[in-house]
Amino acid sequence: VSIEEWRKRTIYQVLTDRFNNLNGGWCTDLSQYCGGTYDGIISRIDYLQDLGVDALWISPVIDQAEDSSYGYHGYWAGDWYDINWHFGGDDGLKRLVTACHSADILVMVDVVANHSGNCNGGRYDYSCVSPFSDSSSYHSDDCDIEDWSNQYEVEHCRLSGLPDLNQENESVQDELYNWINWIVSEYDFDGVRIDTVPEVRADFWDGYVSSSGVSFLIGEVFNGDPAYVGPYQDHVPSVFNYPMYYTIRDVYGGGSSCWNINSRRSQIYENFADPSLLGLFASNHDNPRFLHDYDDPQRLRNAMVYVLAGEGVPVVYYGDEQEFAGGSDPYCRECLWPSGFDTSGDVFTTISLLAHARQKNYDNWVLSDFVERYVLDNLYVFSRGDVLFATTNVGDNSGTEHFVIDNSPFTAGESICDVFYPSTDCFDVNSDGTVDIWLLNGEPKVYVRESDVNNFLG
Ligand code: ABC
Ligand code: CA
């Protein structure tokens, strides 16, 4: 699957353990397994299709080192060549990939090359790890990462006490390169999400990427500074746009000036090789959810318009569409099934409309350049092709805002329509070419020409 194909996709991030437990039930302890499986996901592919997402990012798939607690999230590797039986094992994973491919959903696997798990609760016990069961596979520095500004420490010390693989040991490096090639080809994955990128020396990733056999790999560099994150895109084709994540939250959540989007974009252009390929997101599994920090679905709707139509590849974190509001890890990792997979909420509908429009890609708007059109403290308007997006940061219950903008893809006298529900609302572009934008109670709007409405909505 080509990079160009990935650009059109909308990625949906699930924690495999939390998406669907076919036996139902409630999860009482979010720090342990809750029973979600690959077959659970397969049985709800229709839900993914209703939402309009067409790429699925699943948890790390391999067997876990089980000590006093359990790696329900998948980041604590045990047997690298075995598939986590809790999720359905080898057969279950193969069934999932086949079912997704039949539904034209790409599958992205999450992988870790920085560390393994701890065995039997011991800091130096590697006995349950295969093939890295010997201490020579790990960095000998024996320290924990404390100072995130010390890059030597970040690369050689342990993240949360996890055994830190020594990629400077050539046999470890070769094994990791062989492993990524094996896992991708054995399970027919279409893309890769790479964990803990800055915790391994940057040039390790060159060989990892070329061994992977896929074109789209997206790395996690958990840092808000574009100057720190940007250079990693010289080694991994895409990385998550963590700098823009913080800006999306500050602006649409916290109500800081929309000019912050403008200035963040300039920084991103200065520091990244290809801003258009970065992963755009408003929530993930390591941070309190958007609605936890900003308790207003109208604000989340604006953020999702930016995520789905802004510059980058959109990533929707499961549960945001259900307006979940969990706090820090593990509370942001709720079980989805108690929601009943409802498809009627405002945030669900907003995501669904835009994600389906992305699939339609009428007039190639998804692949067209992002053009910033009009910015005020409380208004951010941009276009992709001939689609115009108006977002605001004032939140619900804020009354009516009226703007007249003099920069849009439309010309005087044309009839254009806001396509958001409950009904499409059409009006004419003013005779001087300006467009009147009315936003009620902090809502976002999306405008297309009246003659294009059906093409856009499909
Ligand atoms: C467990 C417990 C947690 C507990 C933690 C210490 O141990 O569950 O309650 O707090 C997995 C599990 C976690 C588990 C960990 C450790 O393993 O999912 O539940 O936490 O056992 C990735 C994954 C993540 C995964 C791992 C480990 C890595 O997405 O799910 O965790 O495989 C660092 C790493 C990053 C990692 C993240 C959790 O920790 O770099 O890869 N995520 C600074 C640093 C970041 C650092 C971050 C958090 O703090 O720069 O590198 O991320 O510790 C901004 C700044 C940033 C700053 C943030 C906080 O603020 O610009 O630099 O980030 O403004
Ligand atoms: Ca390391």
Side-chain angles (χ1 to χ4, degrees), residues 75-76 115 148 193 195-196 199 220 224 285-286 329 333:
Y75 295 98
W76 299 341
H115 52 263
W148 288 99
R193 180 267 188 190
D195 193 64
T196 38
E199 280 83 349
E220 180 218 14
H285 62 308
D286 288 337
D329 168 11
R333 302 174 176 187

Side-chain angles (χ1 to χ4, degrees), residues 27-42:
C27 198
T28 48
D29 182 357
L30 290 177
S31 68
Q32 301 293 330
Y33 281 99
C34 290
T37 58
Y38 297 129
D39 285 333
I41 300 174
I42 293 170

Side-chain angles (χ1 to χ4, degrees), residues 114-115 139 145 153-157 164-165 167 199-201:
N114 177 62
H115 52 263
H139 283 132
I145 305 175
E153 198 173 308
V154 170
E155 290 173 15
H156 296 79
C157 298
D164 199 58
L165 286 164
Q167 297 84 0
E199 280 83 349
V200 182
R201 62 171 216 284

Side-chain angles (χ1 to χ4, degrees), residues 364-433:
N364 259 352
W365 71 270
V366 175
L367 300 179
S368 302
D369 283 347
F370 178 104
V371 181
E372 184 177 280
R373 293 287 181 174
Y374 204 87
V375 189
L376 296 170
D377 281 336
N378 56 347
L379 179 71
Y380 193 82
V381 180
F382 61 94
S383 64
R384 303 292 299 271
D386 286 352
V387 186
L388 186 72
F389 301 87
T391 62
T392 183
N393 60 354
V394 296
D396 209 348
N397 299 315
S398 53
T400 301
E401 296 174 287
H402 177 217
F403 309 96
V404 182
I405 68 163
D406 59 5
N407 184 5
S408 85
F410 309 123
T411 52
E414 279 188 299
S415 176
I416 61 172
C417 309
D418 162 35
V419 294
F420 270 156
Y421 60 91
S423 64
T424 299
D425 177 33
C426 302
F427 61 97
D428 287 349
V429 174
N430 296 325
S431 55
D432 61 358

Side-chain angles (χ1 to χ4, degrees), residues 13 15 31 57 60 72-76 110 112 114-115 118 145 148 154 159-162 193 195-199 220-225 228 242 246 284-287 328-330 333:
Q13 177 192 3
L15 296 199
S31 68
W57 158 15
Y72 71 88
H73 42 69
Y75 295 98
W76 299 341
D110 199 334
V112 185
N114 177 62
H115 52 263
N118 300 98
I145 305 175
W148 288 99
V154 170
L159 172 65
S160 299
L162 295 163
R193 180 267 188 190
D195 193 64
T196 38
V197 166
E199 280 83 349
E220 180 218 14
V221 184
F222 189 151
N223 197 294
D225 180 1
Y228 184 80
Y242 250 111
Y246 288 110
N284 69 18
H285 62 308
D286 288 337
N287 294 284
S328 304
D329 168 11
R333 302 174 176 187

Side-chain angles (χ1 to χ4, degrees), residues 23-68:
N23 302 319
W26 297 80
C27 198
T28 48
D29 182 357
L30 290 177
S31 68
Q32 301 293 330
Y33 281 99
C34 290
T37 58
Y38 297 129
D39 285 333
I41 300 174
I42 293 170
S43 80
R44 289 293 178 175
I45 281 184
D46 57 342
Y47 177 79
L48 304 182
Q49 291 176 318
D50 284 345
L51 188 57
V53 296
D54 44 20
L56 182 69
W57 158 15
I58 55 175
S59 299
V61 298
I62 60 178
D63 172 69
Q64 298 291 287
E66 310 211 322
D67 56 17
S68 48

